Amino acid sequence: MDDLSKEVISCTKCKLCKSRTHAVPGEGNIHSDIMFVGEAPGENEDKKGIPFCGASGNFLEKMLESINMKRTDVYITNIVKCRPPGNRDPEEEEIESCKEYLERQIDFIKPKAICTLGRYSLHYFYPEFVISKVHGKIYSYKKIKIIPLYHPAVGLYRDSMKKVLLDDFKIIKEAISQNLTTQQKEDASSPPKQGSFDLFS
Ligand code: URA
Ligand code: SF4
């Protein structure tokens, strides 16, 4: 994993390498059962080279605390590892260039569950899914459970969304303990819809 992080830090595979201060490979427990995958580094992350180290990161840590976990218990990374200028959305080409790193991270960590944070991360795994319909449920492909969550940023300024996120977080522990209700098991065993998941196929 250290080698992979070094490769990311010196990567020049897409144009985001020109505007970044630091690439942000990811950090956390490489033996964890849980990975969090956000969208892309923001301003703070670009300055420090650490994922989710600003306001969204603080809220992510609070949500983890609510389920008795710390950020050092999980592995945290993003779909693209370098900050898009002005926090614009990552482009298709950039996501495609950066994909290899995420695939290798997943392959290395072999998590039981991947929590996607926000639309871009969700669409990486399930391009046709609509976040408002699937958040807080469990899907799976091969042996990895995918748990779509809203991006922590949406909870920062809206209390109603904060509550939704905190509620959704409760499912993470259940997902890794296998302590699921029948409905949750059905969701988890339903195959992804067509064209949705080529990462491991
Ligand atoms: N938002 C993200 O999606 N990722 C980060 O690392 C920080 C903010
Ligand atoms: Fe390389 Fe990914 Fe950074 Fe592009 S975003 S330069 S592919 S590490």
Side-chain angles (χ1 to χ4, degrees), residues 38-42 45 51-52 56 78 151:
E39 176 177 324
E45 291 76 22
F52 283 95
S56 293
N78 284 297
H151 194 284

Side-chain angles (χ1 to χ4, degrees), residues 73-84:
D73 294 329
V74 300
Y75 193 83
I76 305 175
T77 189
N78 284 297
I79 294 289
V80 296
K81 314 300 192 199
C82 302
R83 182 193 184 204

Side-chain angles (χ1 to χ4, degrees), residues 43-74:
E43 192 180 2
N44 292 296
E45 291 76 22
D46 176 67
K47 276 191 193 140
K48 296 191 182 154
I50 297 169
F52 283 95
C53 63
S56 293
N58 288 340
F59 184 42
L60 177 61
E61 284 172 31
K62 287 222 170 72
M63 291 190 286
L64 282 166
E65 275 168 31
S66 76
I67 55 166
N68 299 315
M69 296 187 85
K70 301 185 293 292
R71 70 180 277 150
T72 47
D73 294 329
V74 300

